[in-house]
Amino acid sequence: MGNLNDLPADILVDILTRLPTESILPCRLVSKSWKNLISRHPCFSQMHLSRLQHTDESFLIRGENQQLHYFEYIDENEKPIDCIKRVNLTPPFTSSYILLGSFNGLVCLYGLEDYTACLCNPVTKEYVMLPKIHRDFDDDGYIHYLTGFGFLTSTHEYKVVEMYKLKTDLNVLLVGVYTVGNGNGWRSVGRLDTKFTKVNEGVGVYVNGALHWMDKHRGRILVFDLIKEKFSEYLSPPPLSPYSTWYDYTLGDLGVVLYIAVESNFDIEEGPCFDVWLLDDKNDKRDMKEQAGQEPLCWSKVFRLPERRPLAFTKSGGLLCFNCASLGVYDALTASSKKLVDFRLIIQIFPHKNTLVSLKELGEEDTKIMGSAEVEDT
């Protein structure tokens, strides 16, 4: 039997990039040539990432005590969620943090008191701390307001957005954008008069090249176009139920579709439910010039979920959904839902793939390796 090391490098890369991410990492210990192939081959991580796009759905949860957890949903299994694994990740913050999102295996975390963002790959342990957005002011000189993270498939750019107010002018919201790997740091790209805007602090929902925040005081959606790096026309939400207020609305995404879930209590015996509205992206004309003279945006109410909010569509046509203590799946044909697994506390949950994407390869120079980022069964 021949030696695998005798295979041409291209064939060996083709074989290894078909393995799960967790199986590739130990392969670096087989030999020096395998380590160089996995770590330094110019196409290895990208080939592996492209093959992961066709695998089952997987997700990252921020739960109790800031713990991160990871699980896969295997659509055809009798037990689609086999186990939920704990990610032993120690973010380099002095305080609590939130997740801004995950794209291609890169996760953006934001320290709630440090006012700094951290980009990391939980599998490879690689991370980079972004500089503070405004070095000319002390931490007490400005007020952190809104944050967001997105990935532009057209330009293959990862962008972090932060909006803040200077305490010397609380009526103006300033916007900074950090493009990963371009070496330009934070760039000031715009400002918004907030005398007529009361957007709550929060994480932007990224859909189709734009970040979205719910202005619950005014009943509208603030939109920041990541491609043009400017604000777009506000979006109007679907009609308000007579039983609901703007504070019952939750903004989210289902792949490439923006949704609003409206919590209602129509059935007291069964508990709260969520009416889910999807935005028709064909009518999504966000630019102010394009919006003039056009028909209003089209929202479609597609289903009502008992107790849980939508998370992602399954390959078989179901809908994964969640609340603060469990995950379930909804069958639109039978209008019924089934609990899949209990979880102690779900604070945030995002689609996430374990990948080998490297921040250093993307152009970030000050990357480091975290001391602890193992994955354990829970």
Side-chain angles (χ1 to χ4, degrees):
M1 182 179 291
N3 193 319
L4 279 176
N5 288 323
D6 295 333
L7 292 174
D10 290 345
I11 294 178
L12 194 54
V13 165
D14 186 68
I15 294 173
L16 292 176
T17 53
R18 297 177 187 274
L19 297 176
T21 308
E22 294 83 351
S23 299
I24 292 177
L25 296 179
C27 290
R28 296 182 299 182
L29 305 176
V30 172
S31 66
K32 186 175 181 180
S33 62
W34 278 37
K35 180 179 179 180
N36 290 335
L37 193 66
I38 294 170
S39 304
R40 299 179 182 178
H41 191 283
C43 301
F44 192 95
S45 62
Q46 195 58 43
M47 286 179 62
H48 181 253
L49 175 63
S50 65
R51 285 170 172 161
L52 282 177
Q53 307 303 328
H54 307 289
T55 59
D56 293 299
E57 298 293 336
S58 49
F59 301 89
L60 195 67
I61 296 175
R62 182 171 72 93
E64 192 176 34
N65 298 324
Q66 302 290 304
Q67 285 287 340
L68 293 179
H69 300 263
Y70 173 80
F71 73 93
E72 295 180 348
Y73 177 83
I74 304 174
D75 206 8
E76 298 178 354
N77 279 22
E78 292 183 8
K79 191 177 180 182
I81 300 178
D82 185 43
C83 67
I84 296 180
K85 301 177 180 180
R86 187 177 66 186
V87 181
N88 289 330
L89 187 71
T90 306
F93 299 121
T94 60
S95 63
S96 58
Y97 67 92
I98 55 175
L99 292 175
L100 298 189
S102 173
F103 297 95
N104 298 331
L106 294 183
V107 178
C108 189
L109 314 173
Y110 192 87
L112 294 178
E113 294 180 14
D114 300 77
Y115 301 120
T116 52
C118 169
L119 287 166
C120 68
N121 184 323
V123 172
T124 64
K125 307 181 186 180
E126 185 188 38
Y127 78 99
V128 64
M129 293 295 299
L130 304 192
K132 290 195 175 183
I133 189 169
H134 215 304
R135 295 180 177 178
D136 299 333
F137 292 87
D138 295 331
D139 289 345
D140 294 333
Y142 64 94
I143 301 172
H144 162 77
Y145 207 64
L146 300 173
T147 48
F149 178 48
F151 172 70
L152 298 174
T153 55
S154 58
T155 58
H156 203 74
E157 291 178 307
Y158 301 83
K159 293 186 179 183
V160 182
V161 173
E162 183 168 354
M163 303 185 194
Y164 60 99
K165 292 182 178 183
L166 301 181
K167 289 189 175 180
T168 55
D169 190 356
L170 297 178
N171 288 325
V172 176
L173 191 64
L174 302 176
V175 187
V177 173
Y178 186 99
T179 302
V180 175
N182 74 351
N184 294 327
W186 287 101
R187 293 173 293 106
S188 179
V189 299
R191 50 194 287 141
L192 181 69
D193 189 333
T194 60
K195 286 183 286 188
F196 306 105
T197 303
K198 299 291 183 181
V199 180
N200 291 3
E201 294 183 11
V203 176
V205 177
Y206 180 76
V207 178
N208 290 334
L211 287 163
H212 305 75
W213 293 267
M214 190 74 191
D215 183 349
K216 294 186 176 181
H217 291 279
R218 301 282 179 174
R220 57 188 182 179
I221 301 169
L222 179 65
V223 182
F224 184 78
D225 190 323
L226 265 191
I227 300 173
K228 299 177 181 179
E229 295 186 348
K230 69 176 186 178
F231 288 104
S232 301
E233 179 71 0
Y234 290 101
L235 297 182
S236 298
L240 184 66
S241 163
Y243 303 100
S244 304
T245 68
W246 293 118
Y247 287 92
D248 297 320
Y249 279 55
T250 301
L251 201 63
D253 72 286
L254 285 172
V256 295
V257 182
L258 188 71
Y259 78 77
I260 285 183
V262 187
E263 185 175 357
S264 303
N265 288 285
F266 293 125
D267 194 326
I268 303 300
E269 293 182 359
E270 295 184 5
C273 60
F274 290 89
D275 288 333
V276 181
W277 298 72
L278 300 184
L279 181 66
D280 185 353
D281 58 355
K282 294 180 181 178
N283 295 319
D284 187 3
K285 298 178 175 60
R286 292 185 291 260
D287 189 87
M288 295 180 66
K289 294 181 180 179
E290 295 178 358
Q291 184 74 10
Q294 298 289 343
E295 293 296 322
L297 296 173
C298 179
W299 290 92
S300 301
K301 186 163 69 172
V302 289
F303 35 68
R304 175 174 293 173
L305 294 177
E307 296 187 342
R308 295 184 180 91
R309 287 176 287 171
L311 177 58
F313 288 112
T314 68
K315 292 180 180 178
S316 61
L319 179 70
L320 284 176
C321 47
F322 72 100
N323 58 24
C324 64
S326 67
L327 294 151
V329 63
Y330 175 80
D331 187 334
L333 294 178
T334 61
S336 61
S337 62
K338 178 179 68 174
K339 181 189 291 187
L340 296 175
V341 64
D342 288 314
F343 194 81
R344 188 162 184 175
L345 178 62
I346 297 176
I347 301 176
Q348 290 180 282
I349 183 167
F350 288 96
H352 171 79
K353 296 283 188 184
N354 282 337
T355 75
L356 300 171
V357 173
S358 168
L359 288 161
K360 189 172 184 179
E361 290 179 4
L362 290 173
E364 287 294 323
E365 296 181 352
D366 298 325
T367 60
K368 299 178 181 178
I369 301 298
M370 285 186 182
S372 178
E374 294 81 15
V375 177
E376 298 178 351
D377 291 348
T378 58

